[in-house]
Amino acid sequence: MKDIFRLMLLPLQAPMLLVLMGVSTYQGMHWSHALETDGTRMQELTTLVWSAECLQAMLIVFLCTMPDLVIRQVSMLMAASRVVSLVVTLLLVTVGGLYLLHLNVLANVLIMGSAVLLARLDLLRVRVVPPPLVLAGVLTLLVLGGANFGRMLVR
């Protein structure tokens, strides 16, 4: 019973979780404004774009929640050979740069990443340290829930 009460008070102890929920709600509203259309053919495209935005949010949460695991795996891959290192670096820089600059999503990625990192830091401050996969899952649910709430507010 004490653990349940502690979990219920967690947003008051770690207020950055509420900030993360607010940021994801705002992002969901922003994504919905960009997707407003009238045609049925465009409605299918809207669903595809919304899915891409949710996938992007999940990727941001994953990278910000488990940076040590991701960096360790990439380092081990790049340590295999110089050719693999060069190919991975060129691929990441080229695709990442084109994605962030061409699609004008750099601001969204930075805002969401900062909010996730602040929430993670606030959870560390109050000594709530679940395993990385559990934390990534919970923060992903929080971000996607907030984005869906923001999408519902716009409708």
Side-chain angles (χ1 to χ4, degrees):
M1 185 68 170
K2 185 178 179 181
D3 292 334
I4 294 172
F5 186 68
R6 185 174 178 224
L7 283 175
M8 290 175 63
L9 289 178
L10 192 59
L12 298 175
Q13 294 174 345
M16 288 300 152
L17 290 174
L18 296 174
V19 170
L20 178 61
M21 184 70 174
V23 166
S24 61
T25 301
Y26 177 77
Q27 291 291 338
M29 290 170 44
H30 176 71
W31 297 339
S32 294
H33 280 301
L35 300 177
E36 291 177 357
T37 58
D38 292 332
T40 49
R41 182 75 174 147
M42 292 302 287
Q43 197 69 17
E44 295 172 5
L45 184 62
T46 300
T47 305
L48 181 66
V49 171
W50 179 259
S51 299
E53 293 287 354
C54 289
L55 183 65
Q56 172 187 315
M58 288 174 52
L59 183 65
I60 292 169
V61 170
F62 178 75
L63 287 175
C64 291
T65 305
M66 298 187 285
D68 53 341
L69 181 65
V70 172
I71 290 172
R72 185 180 318 125
Q73 293 299 326
V74 171
S75 295
M76 287 174 36
L77 177 68
M78 292 176 73
S81 74
R82 289 184 183 179
V83 174
V84 172
S85 176
L86 180 63
V87 169
V88 168
T89 304
L90 286 173
L91 183 68
L92 286 175
V93 169
T94 304
V95 173
L98 287 174
Y99 175 71
L100 291 175
L101 294 176
H102 180 68
L103 297 179
N104 296 326
V105 295
L106 182 61
N108 294 337
V109 169
L110 290 177
I111 291 169
M112 186 68 70
S114 299
V116 169
L117 288 172
L118 284 172
R120 184 174 173 235
L121 185 65
D122 212 15
L123 286 172
L124 285 173
R125 181 185 59 82
V126 295
R127 294 187 179 99
V128 176
V129 187
L133 283 175
V134 173
L135 183 62
V138 169
L139 290 180
T140 298
L141 287 175
L142 186 69
V143 167
L144 293 180
N148 282 321
F149 180 67
R151 186 178 187 190
M152 288 188 313
L153 287 176
V154 171
R155 289 184 183 179

